[in-house]
């Protein structure tokens, strides 16, 4: 897909994500809106995956370390054909496969269970190292939140990736500047991220994480070292009253707010 088509798909995913959270009465909608452009670029342009063969040995691996934004991943997987689009209506319902955090034992296309922050990147390092040891050609991609980068396990993983020369690993930090309850700057400010990642031996690209024109080439970039992408995004991107508002980390819109958001996202289609 070209960037125009990717932008259209991202808007459709945002609209379906909004509907799913509203109907379920729960969800981490702000961080889902910030990361959807990156998920769209990965699944519809970059990743070598086969929805009818979700465990194909040659598939690229993707880990959503910020697992609380699972609904955005589910909608993306449905759009890509891993699960039915009708199943999205079961999000968070009793006995549904679509839990609040992704489960690799239940949902095709999910590579590993995530939820406890700081686990996804270490697991992705293991996946990339396994490819090196076995001679496999797949790439591994992982998305973390910027607040999640406060976890020490991530920095141990960064060191290990550089030590092992994992040029088949790409980390994308969803740098929306907010975490649960507060801004990143008011908690444990890990910004600026670029010089820190570079100091740990990574190649780093800094982009607008809500611009397909910048996301796609960054994801396609390859070098001789692990690649980190600092993606500057907006919490609640695409919905005016949510954007850059910390209170939309985990919140459900009222019916009036929902109607406004639907109108805004639909207008952009």
């Amino acid at each position: 897909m070209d960037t125009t088509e990717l932008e259209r798909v991202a808007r459709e995913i945002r609209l379906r994500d909004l509907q799913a959270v509203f109907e379920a009465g729960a969800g981490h909608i702000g961080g889902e809106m910030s990361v959807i452009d990156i998920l769209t670029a990965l699944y519809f342009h970059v990743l070598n995956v086969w929805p009818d063969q979700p465990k194909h040995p040659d598939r690229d691996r993707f880990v959503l370390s910020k697992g609380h934004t699972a609904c955005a991943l589910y909608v993306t997987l449905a759009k890509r054909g891993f699960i039915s689009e009708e199943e999205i209506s079961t999000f968070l319902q009793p006995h549904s496969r679509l839990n609040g955090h992704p489960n690799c034992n239940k949902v095709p296309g999910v590579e590993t269970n995530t939820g406890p922050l700081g686990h996804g990147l270490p697991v992705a390092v293991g996946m990339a190292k396994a490819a090196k040891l076995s001679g496999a050609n797949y790439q591994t991609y992982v998305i973390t939140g910027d607040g999640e980068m406060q976890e020490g396990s991530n920095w141990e993983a960064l060191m290990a990736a550089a030590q092992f020369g994992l040029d088949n690993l790409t980390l994308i930090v969803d740098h929306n500047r907010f975490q649960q309850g507060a801004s990143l700057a008011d908690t444990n400010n890990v910004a600026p991220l670029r010089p820190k990642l570079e100091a740990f031996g990574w190649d780093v690209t800094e982009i607008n994480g809500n611009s397909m024109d910048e996301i796609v080439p960054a994801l396609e970039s390859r070098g001789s070292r692990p690649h980190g992408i600092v993606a500057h995004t907006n919490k609640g991107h695409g919905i005016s009253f949510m954007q850059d508002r910390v209170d939309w980390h985990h919140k459900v819109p009222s019916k009036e707010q929902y109607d406004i958001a639907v109108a805004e996202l639909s207008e952009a289609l």
Side-chain angles (χ1 to χ4, degrees):
M1 286 188 180
D2 62 22
T3 55
T4 300
E5 276 293 289
L6 291 170
E7 288 166 353
R8 178 187 59 79
V9 171
R11 289 191 291 270
E12 292 174 351
I13 291 172
R14 278 194 173 87
L15 191 59
R16 187 65 186 92
D17 183 278
L18 168 70
Q19 180 185 6
V21 169
F22 178 72
E23 292 176 350
H28 290 80
I29 195 166
E32 288 163 7
M33 294 296 144
S34 70
V35 81
I36 281 172
D37 294 306
I38 298 166
L39 288 173
T40 302
L42 281 166
Y43 277 93
F44 290 88
H45 188 83
V46 175
L47 294 177
N48 289 315
V49 290
W50 297 269
D52 59 337
Q53 301 179 71
K55 294 296 185 182
H56 194 292
D58 296 331
R59 73 192 184 281
D60 289 336
R61 272 61 165 176
F62 169 69
V63 175
L64 181 68
S65 190
K66 47 177 287 180
H68 53 284
T69 59
C71 188
L73 177 60
Y74 299 148
V75 176
T76 305
L77 288 173
K79 195 80 172 170
R80 188 65 174 81
F82 283 88
I83 60 177
S84 73
E85 297 200 47
E86 290 74 22
E87 189 173 0
I88 298 301
S89 63
T90 73
F91 175 58
L92 297 182
Q93 299 303 309
H95 309 298
S96 173
R97 298 191 296 178
L98 307 185
N99 300 327
H101 293 84
N103 188 326
C104 65
N105 296 310
K106 294 182 178 181
V107 184
V110 174
E111 292 291 345
T112 189
N113 296 15
T114 54
L117 299 179
H119 287 195
L121 178 55
V123 170
V125 168
M127 292 175 174
K129 179 63 173 175
K132 290 290 187 181
L133 290 172
S134 64
N137 292 321
Y138 66 79
Q139 300 290 317
T140 300
Y141 301 82
V142 55
I143 294 177
T144 69
D146 50 3
E148 182 180 3
M149 293 303 292
Q150 296 164 350
E151 297 282 356
S153 52
N154 283 321
W155 300 93
E156 295 176 20
L158 289 164
M159 284 189 287
Q163 174 70 25
F164 296 147
L166 301 182
D167 57 356
N168 57 347
L169 175 64
T170 299
L171 162 68
I172 307 105
V173 181
D174 181 17
H175 194 8
N176 62 29
R177 307 177 308 285
F178 292 99
Q179 58 193 110
Q180 182 171 333
S183 69
L184 191 71
D186 290 336
T187 53
N188 182 8
N189 196 2
V190 294
L193 282 159
R194 180 172 194 156
K196 294 179 177 66
L197 296 177
E198 288 175 336
F200 275 67
W202 284 55
D203 292 330
V204 182
T205 305
E206 205 156 1
I207 64 168
N208 176 347
N210 296 127
S211 168
M212 286 297 177
D213 288 333
E214 296 188 32
I215 295 169
V216 170
L219 289 173
E220 292 178 330
S221 177
R222 297 284 181 274
S224 59
R225 302 194 295 177
H227 183 209
I229 300 172
V230 179
H232 294 273
T233 62
N234 298 308
K235 197 121 181 170
H237 185 78
I239 301 173
S240 59
F241 60 85
M242 289 187 193
Q243 190 155 305
D244 293 330
R245 293 283 302 276
V246 68
D247 49 322
W248 285 100
H249 177 84
H250 187 265
K251 187 176 178 181
V252 178
S254 66
K255 179 60 167 66
E256 181 182 1
Q257 290 171 325
Y258 174 74
D259 290 341
I260 293 170
V262 167
E264 290 180 355
L265 293 174
S266 299
E267 184 179 356
L269 287 174

